Amino acid sequence: MPRIQLAVQGADHGPGCDPRTDHLRPVIAFLLAQGNRPAQWWREDGWRSDTGGELHYAFTDPIDAARLHVHFDFPPSIVLDETGGIRDRVNRVAIYYSQPVKPLCFDLTEPVA
């Protein structure tokens, strides 16, 4: 099966099209089809923007980088790291696994060093 070639940037036409993220929709659709879920489930499209304008799409489960390499051909501007994190440097977009926050422990029975 041939790998899907991802573009450097998405289309800039049509309703709901975002040139910063549309080229990554096949990756997101693939991860969703594998049973992964968006961590920001309350957002309509799953994306969140930080104060610096970078877009983030976080998933609740780890991302299998090897599986993504089998299915997709990433351009040099989109980096897929060994943890499955995806960074699009041109469009300032990140897709990654949002590890759960560990609860704080205030166990006062353990000595403080």
Side-chain angles (χ1 to χ4, degrees):
M1 177 166 99
R3 296 189 313 168
I4 297 170
Q5 174 67 51
L6 296 176
V8 173
Q9 193 157 2
D12 193 14
H13 60 280
C17 292
D18 186 339
R20 291 180 61 193
T21 60
D22 278 355
H23 60 300
L24 297 171
R25 289 284 174 192
V27 175
I28 292 170
F30 176 79
L31 293 170
L32 292 172
Q34 300 299 310
N36 212 329
R37 297 177 319 276
Q40 284 97 29
W41 53 267
W42 60 91
R43 297 187 179 274
E44 185 176 324
D45 63 357
W47 291 101
R48 131 185 116 71
S49 179
D50 65 20
T51 56
E54 185 163 303
L55 293 173
H56 301 267
Y57 198 108
F59 281 96
T60 57
D61 298 314
I63 297 172
D64 186 346
R67 185 177 258 178
L68 289 178
H69 271 299
V70 168
H71 290 283
F72 298 99
D73 186 12
F74 293 89
S77 62
I78 300 175
V79 177
L80 173 63
D81 66 30
E82 65 277 351
T83 67
I86 301 167
R87 298 238 1 124
D88 180 343
R89 295 184 306 246
V90 171
N91 297 292
R92 298 180 58 223
V93 172
I95 299 172
Y96 51 88
Y97 162 53
S98 181
Q99 297 181 358
V101 177
K102 294 182 181 177
L104 295 174
C105 178
F106 295 104
D107 186 355
L108 300 177
T109 61
E110 293 185 25
V112 179

